[in-house]
Structures are given as structure tokens and as C-alpha cells.
Amino acid sequence: MSIKIGIMGYGNLSRGVEAAIRQNPDMELAAVFTRRDPVGVKIKTEGVPVLNESELLNWKDKIDVLVLGGGSATDLPVQTPKYAEYFNVVDSFDTHARIGEHFANVDAAAKKGGKVAVISVGWDPGMFSLLRMVSDAVLPEGKHYTYWGRGVSQGHSDAIRRIEGVKDARQYTVPVQESVDRVRNGETPEFTARQMHTRECFVVAEEGADKARIEKEIKEMPNYFADYDTTVNFISEEELKANHGGLPHGGFVIRSGVTGLEKEHKHIIEYKLTLDSNPEFTGSVLTAYARAAYKLSKEGVSGCKTVFDIAPAYLSSKSAEELRGHLL
Amino acid sequence: MSIKIGIMGYGNLSRGVEAAIRQNPDMELAAVFTRRDPVGVKIKTEGVPVLNESELLNWKDKIDVLVLGGGSATDLPVQTPKYAEYFNVVDSFDTHARIGEHFANVDAAAKKGGKVAVISVGWDPGMFSLLRMVSDAVLPEGKHYTYWGRGVSQGHSDAIRRIEGVKDARQYTVPVQESVDRVRNGETPEFTARQMHTRECFVVAEEGADKARIEKEIKEMPNYFADYDTTVNFISEEELKANHGGLPHGGFVIRSGVTGLEKEHKHIIEYKLTLDSNPEFTGSVLTAYARAAYKLSKEGVSGCKTVFDIAPAYLSSKSAEELRGHLL
């Protein structure tokens, strides 16, 4: 009997989850839910219903885990606590400053309903968090560095698109090689944001727009660009489509630490992701944690969990004997 | 109240554990046990007793976790099941072909005594296993590659030392760069052992020994060298001490997988370790898992565990709130 997955929303991330389910024979897609008129939403999996969100609670007994594909700004703070009472859920909540609050809300709902909720799943937060945490425990005297890119930041691309006169835009986050080399070499400097990443923008301006003003507005935008060395390239719509159509991303976490009675030995732990498709990889991580939520729930566990709280074996479709035999 | 650690044995790995305990303020070294006459064993931690193994069972109530520093060939198959009945234990058992048997023996003993035993902890098996397993669950369609080195293989160095006419030796395992480049580039070839690693040997011959015969014996040694491109360099004892005194090691695990409805997107996960001291890093991993064994035992858990069975948060001295606040 396979694990029945429901997906809330049908954006890039949800489509990544839909594709990942096909690669996991112990799972099946049960239904997709949308806030839009479902008639207008065409999914890629034949024979699976698309329903309005208003029908979701009728599916309580037909779905083992509900994956929430929405965004952290407005969707998940509402949806995850709302549905964690009725379903085992997994989300990709990534607003670091609000994780404490989100955890508390989701935990209360999941415990009330006797369900398992896994929040902040993906690659960062998610896989990168796991690596930061385990490396911090193994090498307690040290520092960690997180680099993102080279890859498309959807949040930064959106920020550029909101500027007047901008038709479309793509922003790449790029690690500064000199700083990476120092860390890989065992140095443990304090870096400013500017020393770790640069930002490359590709912008399609509207006909007759003031490009100098657009460039200035991008470069001076607080939080997003002002603290970085930012380059702005104006390109045609055709060029954007031809050369910047994908959503590649990635990055790496480096832990640099010392051991020995005199702290005389250095150790470098590096975890690196090179991803052709950010949403499909993130969707694959969510799918593995959906399996974990299902298994934990079967064991009678309830409440909110993060990647720190889940033993790795729960992610796998393989038995404990297979894991010990082939992957240990 | 700190976690009281006992160490069985006092070789390189045990000394790595002793050093790691000092970096973890929630732990203290309670005692070191040896099969030798304890009078001849001088440890680095002042005020801590060194005792003969025969006294170990008298320490049942004075030790929270016993770390077994012995080897996989003859020590651990006996010691881990023997002591898992009386202590929470952690070992670094790494004979892959016998892990099933070892797990069963240790599990029976630990369950009988109501204790937690964590086996096969270190970096491979250990951290590399964790990465192989999690990456396999996240990218189920793909292949993984494990490269070791450049670093000193103590097993291969010992094998050379057993050859007649050899006074001392150091063997480095070295990844073949061409094969690494292909994998990092997204190819997923089937490799022979020879295509993945070469073996570099530095040998001190005894006065008047037949070097040609020694070189031939090394290169033709089954399992250890015959399946690899092996180079043998004869050097002086002084040169060995000056240039090959350390025990650096490391390596990397690469998972190469695809996602998407047409499997059109490639993803590369790479986990890389660069270690100045193999035994000190391994000791640091054992120490973190000793904390996990202690915490699990406090929760009433018993039986044999591997890195697959333990939620990451158990490794850390930090609270769940701290972990979510700073490392998620």
C-alpha cells in the first residue's frame, strides 16, 4: 500500500513534488488542491483530481501526508498551522526570523490533531541546516560559512521586477571566489555580506524606460542589493528567455574546525550542491520528509519537527537491513 | 552535571577521543581502561585514573558512556557485545562484510542490559554513510561514488610492514582526478577500483634488503594492491619521519542524480572532508555520538543503533531552541 500524498498549491515547488513522487514507487499523488478555479489548473499526472482548497478537509481520510507548496511570506504562516491539525504536513518555511513563532503555532496544531508536521524542509533551510548542525556538533571549536550560488534567487528577481519600468528580470547570487579560497584553505575570517557574495542582475526594461534610474534603484535597494557589489545588465526579452530560462541554484556549507590537545590539527567539512533545478531538488527533499512524516505518524508520534529531529532512516524507502548492508 | 565518558584502550583513536572530550564542556573523562599494565600507560588528562580492563565492570555506575577505541579485526567483535550489556557504548566497527553479524550481537546484549550501543561511528562508516543514505533518499534515481584520500591508509601501511625486509612504511590512497572530474561533471560511469584510486607507497627497507622483491610483493598483493596502479618509493627512515609523520586523510562522497518528468535535470551532491588528523576527527565523531547514546538512554531507549537511526539533534549540546534559532 503506497503513501498517499496531497499537494496544496501548484507553483514551481509543487510541480517539483509532483515529479519527485513518480521517482518513489512507495508513494502516489492522491490530489492537488488550489485556491484558483480547478478547471483552469492542468497537472502532469493523469487521473489525479485537481480540487479547490475548500474541499481539502473532506480528504482527511484519503491523504497520508499533505505537502504545502506555498510561499513563506503569506501562505505558510496561515496554511501550515491550519492544516497540521487535520493532516500530517510538510512545508518549506524559510523566513529565519519567524521560525520560532511558526514552530510554536504548528506544534500546537499538530499536537491537538495528533499529527506530524515537518517544517523548514528543502536545501536551505533543510540539507544545509543538517550539515551545519552535525558539523557544529562534531567540530565544536570552529566556524561555519554558507555560500549560495551561482544560482537564481527568485526573491531578488521578484524585487527587481517590482521596480517601475522593469518588464522582467533574473538575479544570480554568486560566491566571491577569493573568500571561498581563504575558507577552504583553513582560514576562519569574519566576512561582511559584500565579501562573500556578489549579485548579477539581468534586466529587461520596458520600451523607453530610464535605465540609469532602474540601475540606481536596484543597486541602492536596502537588504536586497545595497550591501553587495551588484552588476546590472540590460538585455532583450529574447535573450532572457534563451539564456536565463532555467532555475539552477546550489551552494555550499563549509565548517572549519580544530582538534588536538593544542588545537594543532585543522579539519574542513564541505557540503556542496549543484542543482539544475532548484524547485525540483527542493521538491525531492520535501518528498523524502513526507515519507518520514508518514512513518513517524504510524509510530504514534505527533507535533512539529525539523530536519534536526528526524533520524535519517525515516527518509528512506529501504529497510534498516538494506541501509546497513548497502549504505553504511 | 556532565556526561562521564570511559575509554577502553589507549591507541591513536582513544587519544583522539580524549582530546575531543576537552572541547565539549558538557563531558568529562572518567577513566581509561587498558589490557596492558596501567602503570605503563600515561594519559594526557591530569587526575584521571588508568585502570586495567579487569576493573571495568566495577565502574558500571560511574560511567555514562564507554567509548571503545579498539580495532575491528579482533577487539570490537568481542568487546562491543561484551560491554553493551553493562554500559552505553560507542564503537567504530568498520568491517563492512560483518556489520550484520556485529549489529545482531551488540543489539542482543544492549537490549538485555537496557543500554544504548552505537556502532560503526566515524567518518566512513559514519559521516560518509549518513551522506550516502540521505542523498540516496533525496535523489532516488542516481549513483553514488566514494573517494578516499589523499590520505594515509593505516591498514595498507601495516600490510606493507609485514613484508620481509621492510622496516617501516606509509601508504597514501589517492583519488584519480580524471574519474573525479567526470563524476563532478554529471557523468555516472561504472568504474573499476583502478579507475578510482591509485596507491602511493613510501617504504623504508632494511639494510641490504632486496628492494626489487619488496616492490614486486607490494604490487602483487591481492585485495590491497593488485587491483590498483601502485607506485613504490624507497626512502630513508629520516625522510619518513620528517615528511610522512602525520595521519592526514579525507575524501568525498558524490551523489549524482536526476529529477523532472523527463529526468531532464541533473543534481550533484558532494560531501568532502579534509582532515589533518584522521584519528582526532574520528574521535570527535565518536564523542558526539557518545552524547547521543547518553541522551537516548536517558529517554529509556535501548538496543543497537547506527548513524541512520539517530536524529541529528541528539549529537549536539545545544537545546532544540538554540539549534532552530542559529543553525536551521
Side-chain angles (χ1 to χ4, degrees):
Chain A
M1 214 194 61
S2 59
I3 306 169
K4 290 172 188 60
I5 306 289
I7 302 177
M8 177 63 218
Y10 198 63
N12 284 333
L13 177 56
S14 295
R15 283 191 280 264
V17 173
E18 180 185 22
I21 289 168
R22 296 199 192 186
Q23 295 185 291
N24 288 279
D26 61 336
M27 298 184 161
E28 63 181 279
L29 180 60
V32 170
F33 299 87
T34 174
R35 281 174 301 198
R36 292 179 271 169
D37 179 351
V39 172
V41 178
K42 178 130 184 58
I43 68 170
K44 300 283 168 55
T45 311
E46 275 181 38
V48 169
V50 180
L51 304 160
N52 186 268
E53 183 180 2
S54 59
E55 299 201 44
L56 188 42
L57 291 189
N58 300 328
W59 283 69
K60 273 197 303 182
D61 302 324
K62 288 177 273 187
I63 285 174
D64 294 313
V65 185
L66 179 67
V67 177
L68 298 160
S72 299
T74 56
D75 301 332
L76 300 176
V78 175
Q79 291 176 355
T80 316
K82 179 174 173 188
Y83 294 121
E85 189 180 337
Y86 306 102
F87 297 94
N88 300 311
V89 298
V90 180
D91 83 13
S92 66
F93 188 79
D94 67 358
T95 310
H96 271 88
R98 298 185 61 191
I99 279 176
E101 181 193 340
H102 189 60
F103 184 92
N105 293 341
V106 175
D107 193 49
K111 281 185 175 146
K112 188 173 173 199
K115 300 293 181 184
V116 174
V118 192
I119 63 162
S120 301
V121 171
W123 59 274
D124 195 5
M127 294 290 103
F128 275 16
S129 320
L130 198 64
L131 265 287
R132 281 189 291 261
M133 199 237 94
V134 171
S135 305
D136 176 87
V138 167
L139 291 177
E141 291 188 49
K143 283 183 70 134
H144 64 78
Y145 297 86
T146 302
Y147 288 93
W148 299 279
R150 187 177 194 258
V152 174
S153 165
Q154 297 182 69
H156 287 78
S157 302
D158 290 343
I160 299 172
R161 277 187 214 105
R162 286 192 292 265
I163 294 173
E164 202 192 313
V166 171
K167 198 167 178 185
D168 205 351
R170 210 66 93 246
Q171 194 268 185
Y172 293 87
T173 306
V174 186
V176 175
Q177 194 59 44
E178 190 210 332
S179 117
V180 177
D181 290 343
R182 289 179 63 190
V183 173
R184 284 194 179 135
N185 205 31
E187 292 183 54
T188 52
E190 295 282 346
F191 288 128
T192 61
R194 192 181 300 276
Q195 288 174 302
M196 290 184 73
H197 295 94
T198 58
R199 300 199 174 277
E200 287 177 18
C201 312
F202 295 87
V203 181
V204 181
E206 279 168 7
E207 188 89 17
D210 180 350
K211 291 182 180 173
R213 177 193 47 84
I214 292 172
E215 179 164 346
K216 188 167 183 290
E217 280 194 40
I218 294 173
K219 289 187 170 175
E220 294 178 355
M221 197 186 295
N223 303 318
Y224 285 88
F225 294 100
D227 298 333
Y228 300 87
D229 289 340
T230 301
T231 54
V232 177
N233 308 282
F234 289 94
I235 60 173
S236 69
E237 198 160 8
E238 296 67 43
E239 199 182 335
L240 190 88
K241 273 199 187 117
N243 300 334
H244 305 283
L247 292 170
H249 216 318
F252 36 100
V253 171
I254 301 177
R255 175 87 185 170
S256 181
V258 293
T259 65
L261 296 172
E262 311 292 335
K263 309 185 197 309
E264 67 274 32
H265 292 127
K266 284 189 180 184
H267 306 280
I268 311 274
I269 303 173
E270 178 167 345
Y271 178 74
K272 186 178 183 191
L273 296 174
T274 310
L275 311 175
D276 271 1
S277 165
N278 182 356
E280 285 180 8
F281 185 80
T282 304
S284 296
V285 179
L286 284 163
T287 302
Y289 277 93
R291 177 184 291 117
Y294 172 79
K295 289 196 206 173
L296 286 165
S297 178
K298 284 276 171 203
E299 291 181 5
V301 171
S302 70
C304 188
K305 308 284 168 192
T306 72
V307 296
F308 301 151
D309 308 311
I310 296 175
Y314 286 98
L315 305 178
S316 179
S317 63
K318 299 187 165 82
S319 71
E321 291 71 24
E322 278 180 281
L323 294 179
R324 285 196 296 271
H326 300 293
L327 294 166
L328 195 65
Chain B
M1 215 192 62
S2 59
I3 305 169
K4 290 172 187 61
I5 307 289
I7 301 176
M8 176 63 218
Y10 198 63
N12 283 333
L13 178 55
S14 295
R15 283 191 280 263
V17 173
E18 180 185 24
I21 289 169
R22 296 201 192 185
Q23 296 185 292
N24 289 280
D26 61 336
M27 298 184 160
E28 63 180 278
L29 179 60
V32 170
F33 299 88
T34 174
R35 279 174 301 198
R36 293 179 271 169
D37 180 351
V39 172
V41 177
K42 178 131 184 56
I43 69 170
K44 299 283 168 53
T45 311
E46 274 182 38
V48 169
V50 180
L51 303 160
N52 186 268
E53 184 181 0
S54 58
E55 300 201 44
L56 188 44
L57 291 189
N58 301 328
W59 282 69
K60 272 197 303 181
D61 302 325
K62 288 177 273 187
I63 285 175
D64 294 312
V65 186
L66 179 67
V67 177
L68 299 160
S72 299
T74 55
D75 301 332
L76 300 176
V78 176
Q79 290 175 356
T80 315
K82 179 174 173 187
Y83 293 121
E85 188 180 338
Y86 305 101
F87 298 94
N88 300 311
V89 298
V90 181
D91 82 13
S92 65
F93 188 79
D94 67 357
T95 311
H96 271 88
R98 296 185 62 191
I99 279 177
E101 180 192 342
H102 189 60
F103 184 92
N105 293 340
V106 174
D107 193 49
K111 281 187 174 145
K112 188 173 173 198
K115 300 292 181 184
V116 174
V118 192
I119 62 161
S120 302
V121 170
W123 59 274
D124 196 4
M127 295 290 104
F128 275 15
S129 320
L130 197 63
L131 265 287
R132 280 189 293 260
M133 199 236 96
V134 171
S135 305
D136 176 87
V138 168
L139 292 177
E141 291 189 48
K143 282 183 70 136
H144 65 77
Y145 297 85
T146 302
Y147 288 93
W148 299 280
R150 188 178 194 259
V152 174
S153 165
Q154 297 183 67
H156 287 78
S157 301
D158 289 344
I160 299 172
R161 278 188 213 103
R162 286 192 293 265
I163 293 173
E164 202 191 313
V166 172
K167 197 166 179 184
D168 204 350
R170 209 65 94 247
Q171 194 269 182
Y172 293 88
T173 305
V174 186
V176 175
Q177 193 59 46
E178 190 212 331
S179 114
V180 176
D181 290 342
R182 289 179 63 189
V183 173
R184 284 195 180 135
N185 206 31
E187 292 182 52
T188 51
E190 296 281 347
F191 288 128
T192 61
R194 192 181 302 275
Q195 287 174 301
M196 290 184 73
H197 294 94
T198 58
R199 301 199 174 277
E200 288 177 17
C201 312
F202 294 87
V203 180
V204 181
E206 278 167 6
E207 188 90 19
D210 179 349
K211 291 181 180 174
R213 177 193 48 82
I214 291 172
E215 179 164 344
K216 189 167 184 291
E217 280 194 38
I218 293 173
K219 289 187 170 177
E220 294 177 354
M221 197 185 295
N223 303 318
Y224 285 88
F225 294 100
D227 297 333
Y228 300 86
D229 289 340
T230 301
T231 54
V232 178
N233 307 281
F234 288 95
I235 60 174
S236 69
E237 198 160 9
E238 294 68 41
E239 199 182 334
L240 190 88
K241 273 197 186 118
N243 299 335
H244 306 281
L247 292 171
H249 216 319
F252 37 101
V253 170
I254 301 176
R255 176 87 185 169
S256 182
V258 293
T259 65
L261 295 173
E262 310 293 334
K263 310 187 197 307
E264 66 274 31
H265 291 127
K266 284 189 181 185
H267 306 280
I268 310 274
I269 303 172
E270 178 167 345
Y271 178 75
K272 185 178 183 190
L273 296 174
T274 311
L275 312 175
D276 271 1
S277 165
N278 182 355
E280 285 180 8
F281 185 81
T282 304
S284 296
V285 180
L286 284 164
T287 302
Y289 278 93
R291 177 184 291 118
Y294 172 79
K295 290 195 205 176
L296 285 165
S297 178
K298 284 277 170 200
E299 291 181 5
V301 171
S302 70
C304 187
K305 308 284 168 191
T306 72
V307 296
F308 301 150
D309 308 311
I310 295 175
Y314 286 99
L315 304 178
S316 179
S317 62
K318 298 187 165 81
S319 72
E321 291 72 22
E322 279 180 281
L323 294 179
R324 285 196 296 270
H326 300 294
L327 295 165
L328 193 65

